[in-house]
Amino acid sequence: MSYVNPGSSYTRDSRYITTRITADGRDGYPVEPGRYRLVVSRACPWASRAVIVRRLLGLESALPMAVAGPTHDERSWTFDLDPDGRDPVLGIERLQEAYLARDPGYDRGVTVPAIVDVPTGKVVTNDFARITIDMSLEWTAHHREGAPELYPPALRQEIDAVNATVYKDVNNGVYRAGFAGSQEAYTSAYASLFARLDWLSERLTTSRYLVGDTITEADIRLFTTLVRFDAVYHGHFKCNRQKLSEMPILWAYARDLFQTPGFGDTVNFDHIKRHYYLVHHDINPSGIVPVGPDLSGWLDAHDRASLGGRPFGGGTPPGPVAPEEAVPEL
């Protein structure tokens, strides 16, 4: 399986299944607690957004979660973490089976996050950007008491603008650098990435969060890239002007979020490293997974509270992680 097309820039295949699960069921899939299964990998930054939002909003019982293993082949993500290598609810070995149940001729990416309709075994959507927004807007009847408002109406225009910029240059920018097929493509992606990280550092110098004074969708989307930066993007993707730990503002910001309930308690660094270094054979043909970096710094004091801000607004932190969803502690 090749990720680099020699001589070319990297272009993400964005042909997602855009069916939505809504409160009124207008696409044929109404919000119903327990009906759907959120399939994720803790290795994947796009899936990790959904894991964080689900936890912050308290949707664990309404939207149960299946965790695929950190590696996959050309055919798709597998449930090798489960007994007998099958998801215990869907009864499938590979996520691909749920995509083919939806469309026997499906020829696009078998990606996570994906939400599967349990009664039919069919994927409903893998539109990762829409999934988290709909968790905030369509699943409100099942939010926990004290759930934060991650996509507040007054800030949506600004959140959308920040998200679009961060997606282009940072979230997808690290992939444009790592999967570049030419020196020119890599150099362009590298320059855009670090110019945007400098812009973010300046924005966050006097503001604890990206938009407004509370955690929003924008912070979640940036965090899932930052938390992977030193472990994989700095070396594996050649994003090596600086480590995150050498960018003081962004490093403190990332630690602040990591230490906030709902963020760091969803991160599995072992899964992250094994995915990138084992799956991307054309970038790392030896298959050697680095031992480092030292992760203890994620728990160091960040001093970001001095900037003010209210992490959960008028809400409260989520409770303890359920034992079956716990990740290894640092």
Side-chain angles (χ1 to χ4, degrees):
M1 187 172 184
S2 178
Y3 290 87
V4 177
N5 186 13
S8 300
S9 301
Y10 170 68
T11 302
R12 182 173 296 279
D13 183 354
S14 299
R15 298 173 298 155
Y16 300 110
I17 300 172
T18 57
T19 307
R20 293 174 61 192
I21 300 169
T22 58
D24 63 6
R26 57 186 176 273
D27 281 3
Y29 293 96
V31 167
E32 293 181 18
R35 172 175 171 174
Y36 306 99
R37 194 149 175 82
L38 174 66
V39 181
V40 303
S41 166
R42 294 193 186 275
C44 172
W46 319 104
S48 293
R49 299 174 174 187
V51 177
I52 292 170
V53 171
R54 171 180 174 270
R55 174 148 159 67
L56 292 177
L57 298 179
L59 290 172
E60 290 94 336
S61 60
L63 184 58
M65 184 170 73
V67 180
T71 62
H72 61 75
D73 58 18
E74 293 89 342
R75 290 179 57 197
S76 83
W77 300 91
T78 60
F79 296 102
D80 50 315
L81 302 177
D82 293 302
D84 302 320
R86 289 183 180 274
D87 179 78
V89 174
L90 299 173
I92 57 177
E93 295 180 340
R94 293 175 177 271
L95 179 56
Q96 181 188 48
E97 296 174 56
Y99 277 83
L100 294 177
R102 168 73 183 259
D103 177 5
Y106 186 82
D107 62 353
R108 291 167 277 166
V110 177
T111 62
V112 289
I115 299 182
V116 179
D117 180 41
V118 174
T120 63
K122 299 177 180 180
V123 166
V124 178
T125 180
N126 67 337
D127 187 357
F128 66 87
R130 190 73 230 180
I131 284 173
T132 52
I133 297 296
D134 281 346
M135 283 184 185
S136 282
L137 301 184
E138 303 293 335
W139 290 76
T140 52
H142 306 287
H143 289 181
R144 66 179 175 86
E145 185 178 355
E149 197 169 14
L150 301 175
Y151 195 53
L155 298 177
R156 284 177 195 169
Q157 186 174 0
E158 186 177 1
I159 291 171
D160 290 345
V162 170
N163 284 347
T165 298
V166 169
Y167 172 82
K168 175 179 176 291
D169 293 334
V170 181
N171 300 144
N172 196 48
V174 292
Y175 286 88
R176 289 174 55 237
F179 293 158
S182 72
Q183 185 67 48
E184 292 75 17
Y186 162 73
T187 301
S188 174
Y190 176 101
S192 297
L193 167 65
F194 282 100
R196 188 59 60 198
L197 291 177
D198 290 342
W199 176 82
L200 288 164
S201 290
E202 183 175 352
R203 184 182 183 100
L204 290 164
T205 299
T206 57
S207 177
R208 188 173 180 185
Y209 303 111
L210 276 175
V211 181
D213 67 349
T214 64
I215 291 167
T216 68
E217 180 82 16
D219 299 294
I220 295 163
R221 295 189 182 197
L222 178 57
F223 172 79
T224 59
T225 296
L226 294 183
V227 79
R228 288 162 173 76
F229 202 90
D230 288 2
V232 290
Y233 301 143
H234 178 270
H236 185 58
F237 277 0
K238 307 179 185 69
C239 300
N240 61 356
R241 189 192 77 178
Q242 291 162 289
K243 297 176 182 176
L244 175 66
S245 58
E246 295 168 346
M247 293 181 269
I249 301 300
L250 285 176
W251 177 221
Y253 165 79
R255 296 200 314 277
D256 185 8
L257 292 177
F258 186 89
Q259 295 170 32
T260 299
F263 285 83
D265 55 24
T266 69
V267 176
N268 187 316
F269 283 105
D270 175 62
H271 282 205
I272 289 169
K273 291 197 298 182
R274 282 201 282 149
H275 171 73
Y276 284 89
Y277 286 100
L278 293 177
V279 171
H280 303 154
H281 299 292
D282 47 350
I283 299 177
N284 186 43
S286 71
I288 294 172
V289 179
V291 175
D294 179 7
L295 302 174
S296 61
W298 281 102
L299 302 179
D300 289 348
H302 52 76
D303 299 323
R304 295 283 293 177
S306 63
L307 294 172
R310 303 166 298 141
F312 301 101
T316 58
V321 179
E324 65 273 16
E325 294 189 3
V327 298
E329 295 183 2
L330 297 187

